Amino acid sequence: MANLELVLVHLDLKGAPPKLSYLAEIFPLFSALGANGLLIEYEDTFPYYGNLLSLRAAHAYSPQEIGVILRLAKLHHLEVIPLVQTFGHMEFVLKHKEFAHLREVSIYPNSLNPHKTQSRWLIQVMLQQVMELHAGIRWLHIGADEVYYLGEGEESKNLLSATSITIEDIFLSHVRAVAAHVVSAYPGVRPIAWDDMLRGASVYTLTESGVSPLLQPMIWDYTANLNVEDRIALVQKYRQCGFHKIWLASAFKGATGTSQQLTHIGHHLENHRRWQRVVEAVPRDVFQGMALTGWQRYDHFSVLCELLPVGIPSLAVCLQFLKNEASSPYRLTTKPFLCISSEESP
């Protein structure tokens, strides 16, 4: 797609992670179909060590195997962006007894308590170990989506009741701290974060939070009935808040049911058709790229949905659409980007 520098295939490795021999076969296919990058979500398949050794699953890749994956990606001109969860979807960390005290709510292992000093240490060590094996990357995805039960922990409740701070403030403060650490500790690396927890915040709140100079939001919407004008308005809202570059995220599989077995290609193709209309309506310099997500599980404890081999035909259709159909002349049917007022932003 002409307006996108990078088209990423998302590899969700938290369920049925592929063998290296399989990755060696599909990486050249990704490249031939039009992708030029990978968004790799390792979760417990990353070879954590030392104080984080318990995070490492029995079937995790070794450091040498991570090196092979990166060399294969480079060989086939696929830029790698690792994804490390730093707030929500932390089940693979917080399920372990030595980290259970860092949960926002003690009975739920999905969200990190942002108020504890050790939470900050945990995230920094996780990022450090991932960065040790990913020298030279330009972006690092810090997750930050679906931070369920945020504000329901005792420390959050006390803060919310005693001050004028809101749940949005708590979220933005943690994300700002993580992003600032990445920018400071790894010069030249720009953080990316999922945008769903940002959408409800006002332009003023987002602007004043100090988040926008530090990271790039990735707007995700996997629906076949994606509301084009709403997404255009959301892009404009983020631009008003000072986000200089924005990413999009579609889906080629894993987004139509927690136990889905066969991929609905038509659903995913329509999702990309609508994203194309958003891209065509926005100035060329706004978007950095798009990630085609392919979820293996909805979360760490969920059952497997469509596996990667089953979703390859859908990926092929979606990538070829972006490469060929989206480059053909298109008649814009939505309101121009610059004509949308701030009052129309979500």
Side-chain angles (χ1 to χ4, degrees), residues 14 23-24 28 35 80 100 125 146 198 208 227-228 239 284 289 320:
K14 66 176 176 281
L23 295 177
V80 170
V125 176
E146 299 179 333
L198 303 173
E208 292 300 309
N227 188 312
V228 174
R239 293 284 280 179
R284 296 175 63 90
Q320 284 292 281

Side-chain angles (χ1 to χ4, degrees), residues 17 32 45 49-50 63 166-167 191 200 209 268 283 285 292 303 308 330 344:
T45 65
Y49 64 89
T166 66
I167 292 176
S209 72
H268 298 295
D285 64 342
L292 286 74
V303 298
L308 183 56
Y330 179 74
E344 292 179 276

Side-chain angles (χ1 to χ4, degrees), residues 216-331:
Q216 298 174 350
M218 181 175 279
I219 305 174
W220 62 272
D221 191 329
Y222 311 144
T223 59
N225 62 346
L226 180 152
N227 188 312
V228 174
E229 292 196 2
D230 278 359
R231 291 296 165 253
I232 294 171
L234 184 58
V235 171
Q236 184 186 34
K237 173 183 175 178
Y238 288 153
R239 293 284 280 179
Q240 289 175 329
C241 298
F243 291 105
H244 299 297
K245 287 288 186 178
I246 295 169
W247 297 74
L248 306 176
S250 60
F252 70 89
K253 78 172 191 71
T256 58
T258 56
S259 58
Q260 184 71 33
Q261 296 183 14
L262 298 177
T263 306
H264 294 310
I265 296 178
H267 172 103
H268 298 295
L269 178 58
E270 182 59 27
N271 176 245
H272 285 82
R273 288 186 189 278
R274 294 189 180 222
W275 270 127
Q276 179 204 346
R277 292 167 62 189
V278 175
V279 171
E280 294 291 337
V282 172
R284 296 175 63 90
D285 64 342
V286 171
F287 294 126
Q288 187 68 61
M290 171 183 278
L292 286 74
T293 62
W295 301 100
Q296 299 279 79
R297 302 179 191 269
Y298 275 43
D299 65 51
H300 181 76
F301 296 118
S302 185
V303 298
L304 293 167
C305 43
E306 314 105 282
L307 300 184
L308 183 56
V310 175
I312 291 296
S314 177
L315 176 63
V317 169
C318 295
L319 282 174
Q320 284 292 281
F321 171 77
L322 294 179
K323 181 178 181 179
N324 299 317
E325 295 297 325
S327 63
S328 62
Y330 179 74
R331 182 174 297 172

Side-chain angles (χ1 to χ4, degrees), residues 37-164:
L38 299 171
L39 178 63
I40 304 182
E41 185 168 357
Y42 294 104
E43 211 198 56
D44 62 355
T45 65
F46 187 79
Y48 290 106
Y49 64 89
N51 292 332
L52 303 185
L53 184 61
S54 62
L55 308 187
R56 182 176 182 170
H59 58 273
Y61 298 105
S62 68
Q64 294 74 25
E65 288 175 320
I66 298 293
V68 172
I69 292 172
L70 298 179
R71 287 194 294 273
L72 286 170
K74 184 176 182 180
L75 177 64
H76 299 292
H77 311 291
L78 298 169
E79 181 163 0
V80 170
I81 300 176
L83 190 159
V84 183
Q85 293 289 359
T86 59
F87 209 170
H89 287 292
M90 292 282 286
E91 298 93 343
F92 80 103
V93 178
L94 302 178
K95 71 179 183 181
H96 297 285
K97 61 181 180 180
E98 61 264 49
F99 300 115
H101 66 288
L102 299 179
R103 299 173 182 179
E104 169 71 351
V105 178
S106 61
I107 61 173
Y108 299 124
N110 53 345
S111 296
L112 186 71
N113 182 330
H115 309 291
K116 291 186 178 296
T117 302
Q118 194 176 357
S119 293
R120 195 72 52 83
W121 168 87
L122 171 65
I123 294 304
Q124 291 181 3
V125 176
M126 289 174 63
L127 294 176
Q128 174 192 337
Q129 294 191 11
V130 170
M131 289 299 296
E132 286 172 359
L133 297 185
H134 293 80
I137 62 171
R138 294 194 290 167
W139 289 278
L140 174 66
H141 201 306
I142 61 172
D145 62 316
E146 299 179 333
V147 189
Y148 299 133
Y149 309 110
L150 180 62
E152 296 185 23
E154 287 304 312
E155 290 175 75
S156 290
K157 286 181 178 179
N158 292 338
L159 188 63
L160 293 170
S161 63
T163 69
S164 60

Side-chain angles (χ1 to χ4, degrees), residues 22-37:
Y22 184 70
L23 295 177
E25 292 184 19
I26 60 173
F27 281 8
L29 177 63
F30 292 171
S31 182
L33 290 170
N36 59 2

